[in-house]
């Protein structure tokens, strides 16, 4: 806004200066100043409006970021640019945050359809101008990758068969897009669930995109490789096989999971019946099992070593994090809580230790905010998990480009954020 006076307006820095208090004498110039709202209005050009109402900061090589408070703005993940990627094929991205608000395949408490909304809200203190991850020595939001909040997959709550087709179509469509960076052949997706059954759609899409089975790293209290018969019903149906406890069984039978290279971590579930049949089914699907109790014996470092020893750094990996891997005392907002879980600190420490994995996709699922505390602790944990996964994806890209240097003090290595 242009006004006919000598007042200084610095809205971009959250300050408004009239030169003097309205109606008071300007002793320097000997004239009375007119209050801002009484001045004649003149339309500003767009460039000046942006300077007045938003503060932009250039970081890195021609990287422009909007600086705003965490409680400001619309509800996108980490204040990222929001694009409905499914209908914008001409908008390239390297990493997409995609919401999948689906929860009609649960066996206990519903409500995870609101998970994407809750995780986005909980991520509001993540901003590009204060997003530097000290453990990785990079700011994932200001590095080589174009990261977008791609909105939600429109999923019907009335027909699970149609819902699965909708989700699969979305993963196939987005997975075949061309990324902005030449670093990778395909963009990567981090899904905000939704119940855990969305992983089947993701694996179907990834298998189509990458032309073969994908290794799965699965953090969860439960196996989720259960034979559908372990969910008995007097009126069984083929469609009922698709649920949040049998989706990996289905994926294995469809040849989507790399048998012998996949891992469960954080397990503490009860089993069916009176024997080890559930474990035998799981063995046939080729998963290594790491229980929640194992962390007491081998610590986070031992868990990291077991995962990396099994999966290595080259094979494509889908990382699936069920928030119920955490103890319900710390993360109560989930559909199938199991006491005795890991702390958020332990999970985050393990996620940081596996940053060398070749992640091609990931999800954070089963956040059900209706059961969360007033402090949104479950959603906050989910948002932090997403941030750590995002950091690892970006850092792995930098490592593939050879952008590495010593951390100050000589402790390990860090990626140089030069792009």
């Amino acid at each position: 806004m242009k006004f006919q006076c000598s007042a200084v307006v610095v809205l971009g820095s959250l300050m408004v200066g009239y030169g003097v208090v309205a109606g008071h004498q300007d002793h320097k110039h000997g004239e009375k100043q007119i209050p801002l709202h009484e001045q004649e209005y003149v339309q500003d050009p767009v460039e000046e409006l942006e300077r007045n109402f938003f503060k932009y900061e250039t970081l890195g090589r021609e990287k422009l970021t909007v600086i705003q408070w965490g409680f400001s703005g619309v509800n996108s993940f980490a204040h990222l640019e929001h694009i409905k990627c499914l209908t914008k094929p001409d908008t390239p991205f390297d990493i997409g945050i995609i919401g999948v608000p689906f929860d009609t395949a649960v066996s206990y408490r519903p409500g995870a359809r609101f998970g994407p909304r809750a995780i986005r809200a909980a991520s509001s203190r993540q901003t590009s101008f204060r997003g530097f991850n000290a453990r990785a020595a990079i700011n994932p939001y200001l590095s080589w990758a174009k990261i977008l909040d791609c909105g939600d997959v429109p999923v019907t709550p009335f027909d699970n068969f149609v819902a699965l087709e909708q989700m699969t179509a979305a993963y196939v469509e987005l997975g075949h897009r061309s990324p902005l960076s030449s670093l990778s052949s395909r963009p990567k997706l981090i899904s905000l669930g939704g119940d855990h059954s969305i992983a089947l759609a993701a694996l179907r899409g990834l298998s189509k995109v990458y032309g073969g089975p994908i290794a799965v790293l699965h953090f969860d209290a439960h196996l989720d490789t259960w034979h559908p018969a372990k969910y008995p019903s007097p009126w069984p149906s083929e469609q009922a096989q698709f649920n949040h406890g049998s989706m990996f069984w289905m994926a294995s039978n469809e040849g989507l999971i790399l048998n012998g290279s996949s891992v469960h971590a954080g397990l503490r579930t009860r089993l069916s019946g009176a024997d080890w049949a559930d474990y035998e089914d799981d063995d046939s699907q080729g998963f290594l099992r790491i229980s929640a109790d194992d962390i007491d014996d081998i610590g986070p470092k031992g868990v990291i070593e077991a995962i990396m020893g099994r999966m290595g750094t080259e094979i494509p990996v889908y990382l699936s994090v069920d928030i119920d891997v955490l103890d319900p005392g710390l993360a109560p907002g989930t559909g199938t809580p199991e006491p005795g879980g890991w702390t958020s600190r332990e999970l985050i420490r393990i996620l940081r230790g596996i940053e060398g994995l070749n992640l091609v996709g990931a999800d954070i699922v089963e956040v059900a905010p209706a059961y969360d505390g007033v402090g949104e602790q479950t959603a906050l944990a989910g948002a932090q998990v997403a941030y750590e996964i995002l950091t690892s994806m970006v850092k792995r890209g930098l490592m593939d480009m050879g952008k590495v240097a010593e951390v100050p003090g000589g402790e390990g290595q860090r990626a140089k954020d030069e792009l």
Side-chain angles (χ1 to χ4, degrees), residues 100-164:
V100 192
F102 173 77
D103 68 357
T104 52
V106 298
S107 59
Y108 193 45
R109 302 193 304 200
R113 69 181 65 182
F114 297 102
R117 181 186 298 177
I119 296 171
R120 285 187 174 106
S123 75
S124 60
R125 287 193 66 246
Q126 296 185 37
T127 59
S128 58
F129 74 91
R130 188 170 288 175
F132 184 78
N133 194 328
R135 65 93 174 171
I138 62 170
N139 184 331
Y141 301 115
L142 297 175
S143 188
W144 61 269
K146 176 68 173 179
I147 308 170
L148 296 177
D149 186 324
C150 285
D152 287 354
V153 179
V155 190
T156 179
F158 303 121
D159 188 321
N160 283 6
F161 175 82
V162 173
L164 180 56

Side-chain angles (χ1 to χ4, degrees), residues 196 198-199 203 215-220 224 247-248 263 265 317-323 325 359 361-365 385 389:
H196 213 153
I198 71 170
L203 287 170
V216 172
L217 174 55
H218 175 219
F219 289 93
D220 202 322
D224 291 354
M247 73 285 174
F248 287 143
V263 179
V317 175
Y318 182 76
L319 172 57
S320 187
V321 181
D322 187 326
I323 207 67
V325 72
L359 297 182
D363 66 43
I364 302 97
V365 295
V385 166
I389 295 172

